[in-house]
């Protein structure tokens, strides 16, 4: 904050008075800033905290800067008082007083002892600039630490309270460390929050993200990455615990549904096995897939799920029910697929029978039911389709021969006279 500009010609009385007025205003502003820094809550906290890491190192430097600031300010105050004293000698200062005042106000008239070097000389302008630099750096440390302390510990404490509630709820449903992954996660989150709070309290500056580019003291924001990860992890565990609680409420209904699914799968497999025997007996030259046995492994796990429910082991029942529901649906689907695969030859035979009878009905509507060729080919195809075992390939060829004969007969039929029975 320069007030007088570079050294130059001897100042006149008005220039001296204006410079002194600006310097006094500057003095008041610097004094107010230093007193505010002295009383800042962040500064008092830093002085009383057991600091570590980055904050300990930076605060040691900041304390030296604050001490030096007061040394500079005292020198500035003394220099200003001396200039005032010179100006007060006469209402109309002479050439000698004006030259002295010019030197005091513009020259390197301020000597500061006890700093890093034996002594430093400053102009009042440069001394103000130096105090501004030290003040900005000191204020940045104080404001930054205070911002982190104001933001993170309270949030960590709130999350820790939520963690305690979740742990209590988890314990009520049997979710404990070493017995359930969610219990292990809760232990890890507890350790992380404890460690995080200790580090935030003792080393707040390690949890600060400065704003990009040049910024005023305190520019940036607290680094909440670790807190956010812990909060997300706790939310995941909380949802898992709620799922376990939901299991406790609807486990009986879900077990009944599982029993029904497995029963339907068993009945479908039994139907497939019976159908396989029928296909082997009635269909010749057909490869029929082997039908699996009943899902005994799933039945055993279903019994284990019922046992978990009887003994209120909800944390074990929850994942087991989810797996069983998925696998029971898959088992029923496989049973239906096996039934479809096994009965495919019977479906083919039924389709051929239906096609044969449909064509027979068609030729009958056209008055060709007594056609000897058609009767012969129909009887041949019917014997093949209604005999056991049925050779589907030969039977299909017989049906096709009947279809072709019927089509030829219908194509060569003389159209009926007008008013007579028409064709279809």
């Amino acid at each position: 904050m320069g007030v007088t500009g570079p050294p130059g010609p001897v100042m006149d009385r008005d220039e001296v008075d204006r410079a002194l007025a600006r310097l006094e205003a500057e003095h008041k502003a610097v004094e107010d800033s230093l007193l505010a820094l002295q009383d800042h809550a962040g500064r008092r906290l830093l002085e009383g905290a057991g600091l570590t890491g980055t904050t300990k190192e930076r605060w040691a430097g900041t304390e030296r800067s604050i001490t030096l600031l007061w040394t500079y300010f005292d020198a500035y105050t003394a220099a200003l008082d001396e200039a005032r004293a010179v100006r007060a000698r006469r209402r109309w200062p002479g050439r000698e007083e004006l030259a002295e005042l010019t030197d005091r106000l513009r020259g390197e008239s301020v000597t500061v002892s006890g700093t890093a070097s034996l002594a430093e000389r400053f102009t009042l302008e440069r001394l103000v600039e130096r105090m501004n630099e030290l003040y900005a750096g000191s204020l940045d440390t104080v404001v930054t630490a205070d911002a982190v302390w104001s933001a993170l510990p309270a949030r960590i404490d709130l999350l820790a309270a939520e963690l305690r509630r979740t742990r209590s709820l988890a314990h009520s449903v049997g979710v404990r460390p070493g017995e359930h992954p969610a219990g292990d996660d809760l232990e890890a989150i507890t350790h992380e929050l404890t460690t995080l709070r200790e580090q935030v309290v003792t080393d707040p500056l390690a949890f600060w993200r400065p704003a990009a580019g040049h910024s005023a003291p305190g520019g940036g924001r607290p680094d909440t990455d670790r807190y956010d990860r812990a909060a997300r992890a706790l939310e995941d565990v909380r949802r898992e615990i709620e799922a376990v609680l939901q299991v406790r409420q609807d486990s009986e209904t879900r077990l009944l549904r599982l029993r029904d699914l497995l029963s339907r799968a068993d009945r479908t497999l039994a139907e497939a096995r019976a159908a396989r025997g029928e296909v082997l007996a009635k269909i010749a030259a057909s490869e029929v897939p082997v039908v699996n046995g009943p899902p005994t492994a799933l039945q055993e796990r279903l019994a284990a799920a019922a046992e978990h429910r009887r003994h209120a082991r909800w944390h074990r029942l929850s994942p087991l029910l989810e797996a069983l529901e998925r696998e029971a649906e898959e088992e029923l689907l496989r049973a239906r697929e096996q039934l479809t695969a096994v009965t495919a030859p019977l479906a083919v035979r039924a389709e051929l029978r239906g096609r044969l009878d449909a064509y027979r009905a068609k030729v009958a509507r056209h008055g060709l039911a007594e056609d000897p060729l058609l009767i012969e080919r129909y009887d041949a195809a019917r014997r093949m389709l209604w005999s056991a075992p049925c050779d589907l390939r030969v039977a299909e060829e017989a049906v096709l021969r009947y279809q072709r004969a019927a089509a030829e007969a219908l194509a060569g039929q003389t159209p009926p006279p007008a008013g007579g029975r028409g064709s279809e």
Side-chain angles (χ1 to χ4, degrees):
M1 269 178 229
V3 295
T4 60
V10 174
M11 303 165 68
D12 61 27
R13 188 189 67 167
D14 290 339
E15 288 176 323
V16 167
D17 289 343
R18 286 195 298 270
L20 282 171
R22 289 193 296 269
L23 286 168
E24 288 168 356
E26 187 71 50
H27 179 273
K28 181 65 168 63
V30 171
E31 184 178 32
D32 290 345
S33 296
L34 288 175
L35 291 174
L37 179 61
Q38 194 74 12
D39 292 336
H40 198 288
R43 182 182 185 279
R44 293 196 298 270
L45 288 171
L46 284 164
E47 284 184 333
L51 302 176
T52 61
T54 301
T55 307
K56 181 178 181 179
E57 181 180 343
R58 279 187 59 182
W59 176 238
T62 300
E63 283 190 305
R64 291 191 295 270
S65 295
I66 293 174
T67 300
L68 187 56
L69 260 172
W70 281 106
T71 301
Y72 285 159
F73 180 72
D74 290 342
Y76 180 83
T77 303
L80 184 57
D81 289 343
E82 291 169 1
R84 287 198 198 102
V86 174
R87 176 64 185 88
R89 290 175 191 169
R90 296 181 185 182
R91 182 178 180 186
W92 300 96
R95 177 78 180 177
E96 184 178 342
E97 284 88 357
L98 290 174
E100 182 179 353
L101 285 168
T102 299
D103 182 61
R104 287 183 179 276
L105 296 177
R106 290 183 172 175
E108 291 184 348
S109 58
V110 186
T111 301
V112 182
S113 302
T115 58
S117 59
L118 294 177
E120 293 180 282
R121 294 184 64 82
F122 296 94
T123 64
L124 287 173
E125 178 184 6
R126 177 58 189 144
L127 187 57
V128 170
E129 291 175 354
R130 181 68 179 131
M131 285 191 292
N132 284 339
E133 293 167 4
L134 292 173
Y135 176 78
S138 301
L139 184 63
D140 183 70
T141 299
V142 171
V143 171
T144 297
D146 187 52
V148 173
W149 278 331
S150 298
L152 273 175
R155 295 174 68 181
I156 293 171
D157 290 342
L158 288 174
L159 190 61
E162 177 63 24
L163 173 62
R164 288 191 292 272
R165 288 191 292 270
T166 303
R167 290 185 68 173
S168 176
L169 193 62
H171 192 272
S172 71
V173 293
V175 174
R176 297 179 177 86
E179 298 180 11
H180 192 280
D184 297 333
D185 291 341
L186 287 174
E187 283 296 296
I189 296 169
T190 301
H191 180 267
E192 169 64 2
L193 288 183
T194 301
T195 304
L196 180 60
R197 197 182 194 287
E198 289 177 1
Q199 293 174 352
V200 166
V201 169
T202 61
D203 192 10
L205 298 184
F207 295 87
W208 184 256
R209 286 187 175 179
H214 180 73
S215 64
R221 64 178 180 84
D223 183 354
T224 62
D225 284 355
R226 285 176 60 185
Y227 167 85
D228 294 338
R229 284 195 297 271
R232 288 193 296 269
L234 181 58
E235 178 62 19
D236 291 341
V237 172
R238 187 186 61 77
R239 283 197 294 265
E240 189 167 349
I241 301 303
E242 288 178 351
V244 173
L245 283 170
Q246 189 63 39
V247 168
R248 184 168 65 181
Q249 295 173 4
D250 60 14
S251 57
E252 183 176 4
T253 301
R254 293 172 71 182
L255 284 170
L256 287 174
R257 181 175 178 274
L258 273 171
R259 292 190 182 97
D260 178 62
L261 281 172
L262 293 179
S263 177
R264 287 158 61 191
D266 195 16
R267 291 196 301 271
T268 302
L269 288 174
E271 183 180 350
R273 286 191 291 274
R276 185 173 189 272
E278 180 183 356
V279 169
L280 291 174
K282 295 182 177 181
I283 306 297
S286 179
E287 294 185 2
V288 186
V290 177
V291 179
N292 295 337
T296 55
L298 288 179
Q299 292 288 357
E300 292 172 359
R301 293 171 66 198
L302 180 60
E307 190 71 13
H308 287 326
R309 182 177 183 276
R310 278 193 295 272
H311 292 87
R313 294 192 289 261
W314 311 113
H315 63 293
R316 296 185 180 178
L317 179 59
S318 177
L320 182 56
L321 277 179
E322 290 178 4
L324 280 172
E325 286 168 340
R326 182 178 63 257
E327 293 171 20
E329 292 280 2
E330 293 171 354
E331 184 63 33
L332 179 58
L333 178 62
R334 280 195 296 271
R336 288 170 174 170
E337 289 173 347
Q338 289 190 67
L339 177 60
T340 299
V342 164
T343 57
L346 294 177
V348 171
R349 187 185 66 174
E351 190 274 332
L352 290 173
R353 286 177 174 181
R355 198 193 316 171
L356 180 66
D357 288 343
Y359 266 88
R360 184 170 184 270
K362 184 176 182 179
V363 298
R365 287 196 303 272
H366 286 268
L368 298 174
E370 303 302 322
D371 185 292
L373 178 61
L374 292 179
I375 292 174
E376 176 190 349
R377 293 194 175 179
Y378 173 80
D379 289 342
R382 192 177 190 285
R383 279 195 304 273
M384 293 178 187
L385 286 172
W386 268 266
S387 63
C390 171
D391 189 324
L392 290 177
R393 186 177 58 194
V394 175
E396 183 177 14
E397 292 174 356
V399 171
L400 288 174
R401 284 197 299 272
Y402 178 71
Q403 284 181 243
R404 285 194 293 268
E408 291 171 0
L410 291 170
Q413 186 181 38
T414 303
R421 186 177 64 179
S423 60
E424 82 168 5

